[in-house]
Amino acid sequence: MADTLTGEAKKQTAGSEKIWSRDFVLILMSNFFIFLGFQMTLPTIPLFVEKLGGNDQLIGIVVGIFTFSALLLRPYAGHTLETRGRRFVYLTGLAIFVLSVGSFGFINSLIFLFVLRIIQGFGWGFSTTASGTIATDLIPAKRRGEGMGYFGLSGNIALAFGPTLGLALAGVISFKLLFLICALLGLAALVLSSRISYKQAEKQTVPLKRWDIYEKSALRPSFLLFFITVTFGGIASFLPIYSAQKGIGGIHWYFLLFAIALMISRTFAGRLYDQRGHQAVFLPGAVLILAAMFLLAWLPSSMIMYIAAIFYGLGFGSVQPALQAWSVKEAPVNRRGMANATFFSFFDLGVGIGAIVFGQIAHLFGYNTIYLAAAGSVVISILLYIWILITKRD
């Protein structure tokens, strides 16, 4: 009898450690489609701003305001995830994203684009905070690093095709049709997400604080992420224009190689985090990102740009899921939504500040200076991480 019970217990334990389920596949597919629609707009929005008569400074502002509006909504999204449930937040965010992106092509004014980017940021803040929390709900705690790596991979696959596809389509179809296609991809995500069996919102036993806008346990990895994602604002906003100015072709290959390297790193970085912790992942990944920034500041040829893409993909693909798993690890179960909100708020803040500040730097000093400044931001992240390790041991 004891052997039988032991065998049944082992089966239950094995089942509880299973990552792949119907709902996990659905959230991966939904995440893929919304990220594909988003990534197609990433390199094409600056081109659209140029078409509407904007300069480098306006490109930075239009890109940055999106992330700041997402940032403002994330704390509210974190609370709402725990009070009204995952379904409400995720489906609402996806619907706002679809409507805002689909409207881009019907405007011919930078002011209206500015407003729509704010609205798009609201949808993005809701949907991405919710999707990360939903994935966290579905992944066993002991395999969270690995599972979040797979979850991130769904966005990375979209990244492998999105920017390249967006740039290719921008050359042969109108911006109006391009943005409608992006909206349809978001609609596909909305349909898939409606089929997920969501975790129900738990009754709150402790009253929510009015100014509860972050999860304390997620602050350290989130600060590290901020200084890393500053680099992303410079690449997403200005690399297509920078490479064209230097007469270097093949920018679509940059995004493809970056995404492939990102996917490769996801296959091992999550497991390495689960087995050995963030100490085995963060510093090697950050050093690769630092090397990529120096190569982009130099940028003498397409080959150097491709090497930078590989370094950046391997580094970012290792660092980001490890920091996200670290953010959720120490948070109470009923605070996972707020932990994810805190994490992505710092992600947004880094990208937004990077885009706006780098727009000013590009205007005053040239594009290559952007990537030297970005390298400095990575150095700050590395030093901050070393300080965290030292103070933790004391």
Side-chain angles (χ1 to χ4, degrees), residues 146-159:
E146 180 184 357
M148 291 308 293
Y150 293 138
F151 174 72
L153 190 61
S154 63
N156 300 153
I157 294 172
L159 179 57

Side-chain angles (χ1 to χ4, degrees), residues 146-320:
E146 180 184 357
M148 291 308 293
Y150 293 138
F151 174 72
L153 190 61
S154 63
N156 300 153
I157 294 172
L159 179 57
F161 300 103
T164 302
L165 182 59
L167 288 169
L169 289 176
V172 295
I173 63 176
S174 65
F175 280 109
K176 178 179 180 180
L177 184 55
L178 172 64
F179 294 135
L180 285 175
I181 292 172
C182 296
L184 287 174
L185 291 168
L187 185 61
L190 182 61
V191 172
L192 287 167
S193 63
S194 68
R195 308 298 300 169
I196 296 174
S197 299
Y198 293 91
K199 174 185 174 182
Q200 297 298 312
E202 297 179 3
K203 185 177 180 180
Q204 297 293 311
T205 57
V206 180
L208 293 175
K209 298 178 182 179
R210 184 174 183 180
W211 298 109
D212 181 16
I213 59 175
Y214 66 92
E215 168 53 38
K216 183 178 180 180
S217 64
L219 284 179
R220 288 181 298 175
S222 298
F223 270 114
L224 295 173
L225 181 78
F226 165 79
F227 289 106
I228 294 294
T229 55
V230 163
T231 65
F232 200 78
I235 291 174
S237 305
F238 299 104
L239 188 57
I241 301 171
Y242 175 39
S243 60
Q245 184 191 72
K246 298 199 74 171
I248 296 173
I251 183 63
H252 57 287
W253 288 111
Y254 172 91
F255 288 107
L256 183 60
L257 289 170
F258 164 63
I260 291 173
L262 205 66
M263 288 187 284
I264 291 172
S265 66
R266 296 281 191 180
T267 62
F268 63 83
R271 291 183 182 180
L272 190 60
Y273 170 87
D274 289 335
Q275 295 168 1
R276 300 180 60 185
H278 51 77
Q279 295 91 336
V281 179
F282 180 81
L283 283 179
V287 169
L288 285 170
I289 295 172
L290 181 61
M293 294 303 101
F294 282 127
L295 289 175
L296 289 176
W298 180 33
L299 200 62
S301 66
S302 296
M303 183 57 64
I304 294 298
M305 184 170 68
Y306 301 155
I307 294 172
I310 294 170
F311 282 1
Y312 192 61
L314 290 173
F316 199 85
S318 299
V319 167
Q320 191 266 333

Side-chain angles (χ1 to χ4, degrees), residues 121-159:
F122 291 161
W124 190 249
F126 260 52
S127 61
T128 52
T129 302
S131 62
T133 307
I134 294 163
T136 301
D137 291 339
L138 297 171
I139 299 168
K142 291 183 179 179
R143 300 182 69 183
R144 185 160 291 140
E146 180 184 357
M148 291 308 293
Y150 293 138
F151 174 72
L153 190 61
S154 63
N156 300 153
I157 294 172
L159 179 57

Side-chain angles (χ1 to χ4, degrees), residues 54-73:
N55 57 18
D56 291 335
Q57 293 168 302
L58 286 173
I59 289 173
I61 292 172
V62 169
V63 172
I65 194 62
F66 162 81
T67 56
F68 279 112
S69 63
L71 169 67
L72 290 174
L73 259 287

